[in-house]
Structures are given as C-alpha cells and as structure tokens.
Amino acid sequence: MPGKSTPPQLKDPGLYEKLRDEGDSKQKAARISNAVAARGSTSVGRKGGESGSYDDWTVPELKKRAKEIGLTGYSKKTKPQLVKALRDS
C-alpha cells in the first residue's frame, strides 16, 4: 500500500494495517497487534480485571471516592451509607 509504513517491530503487520484503517492510532494499533500475536486474540479480549467491591474499601477510601465524583454530605455517613451512596451515583 503506497504511502503507508509499518513499524519494523510489529509482530502482526496485517492486523496493524486493519486497525489503522479503522481509525486506531499508530500506538494503539501496534499495541493490539503485538498483544494478539503474543497471546492470541481471545486472551487479549479477556485481559481486563474486576473492580473491587466498595464493601472491601476503607471508610477513608470511600470518602475520597465520594469527593472525587462530587457527592455531598458524605463526611458524616457510615460505611454502609457511603457504599449505598456510591452505588446509587
């Protein structure tokens, strides 16, 4: 393909080009194509993890999160009240 250049360190240039044609950045396309070549496409899609339950967080962590997302009145709440407020937001 004229005008296109693929970085030499790519492990799957075909997938890289497909991702670039779909609009992904050079960095994202390279990262995905190399991950798929190294671990397989089904493994790459499952990589994400679960976020921890608010029940496992400490009260200071819950209050910090409440502040980050703009909740008000959280300073006097109990842990169960904080967890409910965060889940409802």
Side-chain angles (χ1 to χ4, degrees):
M1 295 184 183
K4 290 189 177 184
S5 64
T6 59
Q9 68 274 17
L10 288 175
K11 295 180 178 116
D12 189 340
L15 179 57
Y16 172 86
E17 291 298 335
K18 180 178 179 250
L19 292 167
R20 289 291 292 142
D21 290 343
E22 291 174 0
D24 288 329
S25 70
K26 291 178 182 179
Q27 292 83 6
K28 183 176 181 181
R31 198 169 47 246
I32 292 170
S33 66
N34 286 343
V36 168
R39 296 190 308 265
S41 62
T42 56
S43 172
V44 171
R46 291 191 310 255
K47 186 177 178 192
E50 279 187 31
S51 62
S53 169
Y54 283 135
D55 295 317
D56 297 334
W57 291 28
T58 65
V59 172
E61 290 170 332
L62 293 168
K63 287 182 178 181
K64 180 181 177 190
R65 179 66 182 145
K67 183 178 182 179
E68 289 172 352
I69 63 172
L71 292 181
T72 58
Y74 60 84
S75 63
K76 295 183 181 181
K77 292 188 184 291
T78 63
K79 183 174 181 174
Q81 291 170 328
L82 283 166
V83 169
K84 182 176 182 335
L86 288 166
R87 286 184 177 150
D88 292 345
S89 63

